[in-house]
């Protein structure tokens, strides 16, 4: 089976993808993510898959697990792992509508990662239409909380990966048409400053501002960044009334490192910031963590297979480790051959300029189909 001969059509794929993009699905809106899961579950059921809905927990939506018909069903095969949550709140379509501009198409979540998830299903469809039976059975798992570190379904992803030989992750492709063969380690932290209230006009000096302490700590945390380990504070909430000295201020921070040992030291530095100064208490607690994924021989063999397929399709396929976590951190760290960044090409994820390169829908769809058709 030559994937180059499969009739992938980027225009037709874009039309199908539109429904997905216009179903806004921010992580913290479980009902919205469930609506997106409904759409995908229905499509995969029509494709002949056996659908299982797995209930959510911790306030998140659930998951959809789909197993496609195969004579070796139940044996280790290929897991396609994707997520349907996005960082864009409901209503973003008003500012970032689905729209085409030349060779680009814009929309919330279109690049990270609905485009990649959609092309993965199209690859399965095309192989089925060609009456081609893949050497290995295929399972698709769509999850609800990747954008916040996968706190509710990491165990499910790891369990499903352990039942398979390979994991393919259609997160956004790299700008140079590359794929991802490793990911940096990531840790999240919850920050809280607790001060002393007072009337900001009548008795300012009696108060101890939690906001002021948080501001001071943000500068300190940013200043801890080195080439080996980065730190950033991305969320801050504080105060209730402008005429009151703020009693509490909370925030969230992120640390990332190329090596696990560097992240472990970074975690120690962050936790050591906890303490009380000038009657204000600052507390750092550890949140979810993604382990470093360093490619092993199995992952590199999988990459070489993909690179050979890309050459047959007339494309170069460079690879690299990447910052920014994905669920491949978990499966790769388990030692399971994993290839990430198999989704569409585009740019500016998590922004109001998020977009894809339309022709990459078919290009990457053929690559995915080639992997599904040849991995054994």
């Amino acid at each position: 089976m030559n994937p180059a001969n499969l009739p992938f059509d980027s225009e037709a794929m874009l039309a199908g993808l539109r429904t997905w993009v216009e179903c806004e699905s921010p992580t913290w809106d479980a009902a919205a993510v469930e609506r997106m899961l409904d759409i995908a579950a229905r499509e995969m059921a029509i494709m002949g898959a056996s659908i299982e809905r797995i209930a959510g927990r911790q306030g998140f939506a659930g998951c959809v697990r789909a197993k496609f018909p195969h004579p070796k069903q139940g044996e280790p095969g290929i897991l396609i792992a994707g997520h349907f949550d996005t960082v864009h709140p409901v209503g973003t379509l008003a500012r970032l509508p689905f729209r085409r501009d030349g060779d680009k198409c814009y929309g919330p979540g279109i690049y990270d990662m609905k485009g990649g998830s959609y092309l993965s299903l199209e690859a399965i469809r095309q192989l089925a239409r060609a009456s081609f039976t893949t050497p290995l059975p295929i399972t698709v798992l769509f999850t609800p909380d990747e954008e916040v570190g996968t706190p509710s379904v990491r165990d499910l992803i790891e369990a499903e990966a352990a039942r398979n030989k390979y994991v393919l992750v259609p997160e956004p492709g790299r700008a140079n048409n590359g794929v991802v063969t490793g990911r940096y380690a990531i840790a999240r932290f919850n920050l809280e400053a607790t001060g002393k209230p007072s009337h900001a006009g009548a008795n300012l000096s009696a108060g101890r501002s939690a906001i002021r302490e948080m501001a001071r700590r943000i500068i300190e945390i940013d200043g801890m960044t080195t080439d080996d380990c980065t730190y950033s504070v991305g969320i801050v909430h504080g105060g209730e009334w402008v005429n009151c000295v703020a009693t509490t201020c909370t925030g969230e921070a992120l640390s990332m490192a190329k090596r696990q040992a560097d992240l472990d030291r970074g975690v120690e530095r962050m936790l050591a910031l906890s303490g009380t100064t000038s009657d204000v208490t600052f507390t750092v607690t550890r949140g979810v963590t993604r382990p470093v994924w360093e490619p092993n021989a199995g992952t590199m063999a999988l990459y070489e297979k993909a690179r050979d397929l890309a050459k047959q399709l007339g494309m170069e396929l460079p690879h690299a480790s990447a910052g920014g976590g994905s669920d491949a951190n978990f499966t790769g760290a388990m030692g399971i051959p994993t290839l990430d960044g198999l989704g569409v090409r585009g740019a500016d994820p998590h922004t109001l300029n998020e977009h894809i390169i339309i022709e990459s829908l078919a290009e990457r769809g053929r690559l995915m189909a080639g992997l599904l058709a040849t991995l054994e």
Side-chain angles (χ1 to χ4, degrees):
M1 199 287 300
N2 185 348
N5 295 329
L6 293 172
F8 282 89
D9 184 338
S10 288
E11 298 298 329
M13 293 170 72
L14 187 65
L17 178 58
R18 179 170 190 165
T19 300
W20 288 28
V21 175
E22 293 186 336
C23 180
E24 296 178 285
S25 51
T27 309
W28 294 110
D29 190 332
V33 178
E34 290 286 357
R35 288 193 291 270
M36 184 62 241
L37 291 166
D38 289 342
I39 293 172
R42 187 176 191 277
E43 289 195 26
M44 292 188 290
I46 291 171
M47 294 165 63
S50 174
I51 305 297
E52 182 180 2
R53 296 295 286 263
I54 302 168
R57 60 178 184 170
Q58 299 175 15
F60 296 102
C63 301
V64 168
R65 178 166 53 199
K67 295 183 178 294
F68 289 83
H70 196 277
K72 295 181 180 179
Q73 190 64 262
E75 297 182 17
I78 301 170
L79 172 64
I80 298 175
H83 67 88
F84 276 144
D85 62 312
T86 78
V87 302
H88 301 285
V90 170
T92 301
L93 277 170
R95 294 185 292 165
L96 179 60
F98 182 95
R99 65 179 178 88
R100 180 174 184 160
D101 184 4
D103 65 345
K104 300 175 182 177
C105 187
Y106 296 76
I110 193 169
Y111 182 46
D112 186 10
M113 60 176 289
K114 291 182 179 180
S117 296
Y118 188 89
L119 71 82
S120 299
L121 297 194
E122 182 65 15
I124 299 170
R125 267 193 291 259
Q126 290 288 348
L127 291 170
R129 289 169 183 163
S131 300
F132 184 89
T133 300
T134 59
L136 296 174
I138 300 168
T139 299
V140 174
L141 180 66
F142 288 132
T143 57
D145 60 351
E146 189 274 344
E147 294 294 359
V148 294
T150 319
S152 75
V153 294
R154 174 179 177 174
D155 56 350
L156 179 63
I157 292 168
E158 291 178 336
E160 195 62 46
R163 288 189 279 265
N164 285 277
K165 294 181 67 175
Y166 304 98
V167 178
L168 305 179
V169 183
E171 286 275 4
R174 297 177 67 82
N176 60 353
N177 198 48
V179 291
V180 176
T181 51
R183 293 267 184 189
Y184 302 167
I186 296 177
R188 294 172 183 247
F189 303 90
N190 299 310
L191 316 175
E192 183 174 11
T194 304
K196 179 182 176 182
S198 71
H199 191 292
N203 200 16
L204 177 62
S205 61
R208 300 290 183 268
S209 173
I211 290 177
R212 179 177 180 177
E213 178 65 11
M214 182 65 73
R216 186 176 73 82
R217 294 291 191 161
I218 289 171
I219 295 171
E220 182 179 2
I221 290 168
D222 284 352
M224 290 162 50
T225 292
T226 66
D227 291 338
D228 296 324
C229 191
T230 63
Y231 302 83
S232 62
V233 177
I235 296 176
V236 177
H237 300 287
E240 294 182 353
W241 303 93
V242 71
N243 58 349
C244 293
V245 173
T247 306
T248 60
C249 186
T250 60
E252 295 181 37
L254 187 77
S255 181
M256 184 163 50
K258 296 179 182 179
R259 293 174 293 273
Q260 189 66 48
D262 292 330
L263 186 73
D264 292 343
R265 284 190 290 270
V267 169
E268 291 178 2
R269 291 188 70 187
M270 282 293 296
L271 296 179
L273 296 177
S274 295
T276 300
T277 304
S278 301
D279 296 327
V280 181
T281 299
F282 188 73
T283 305
V284 180
T285 55
R286 187 171 179 174
V288 294
T289 302
R290 292 190 188 274
V292 68
W293 166 33
E294 296 181 0
N296 60 11
T299 286
M300 292 313 298
L302 176 55
Y303 162 69
E304 291 295 339
K305 168 73 76 172
R307 186 174 70 167
D308 290 344
L309 285 166
K311 286 182 178 179
Q312 295 174 29
L313 296 170
M315 301 183 295
E316 294 297 320
L317 195 74
H319 75 99
S321 291
S326 85
D327 292 331
N329 282 76
F330 305 134
T331 64
M334 293 170 67
I336 299 168
T338 298
L339 193 58
D340 195 358
L342 286 165
V344 283
R345 290 183 289 114
D348 299 331
H350 297 190
T351 75
L352 294 178
N353 196 50
E354 182 169 341
H355 64 273
I356 65 169
I357 305 301
I358 296 169
E359 66 180 4
S360 69
L361 285 166
E363 292 172 356
R364 287 303 184 99
R366 289 190 178 94
L367 179 62
M368 178 67 76
L371 285 168
L372 298 176
T374 57
L375 289 176
E376 56 187 18

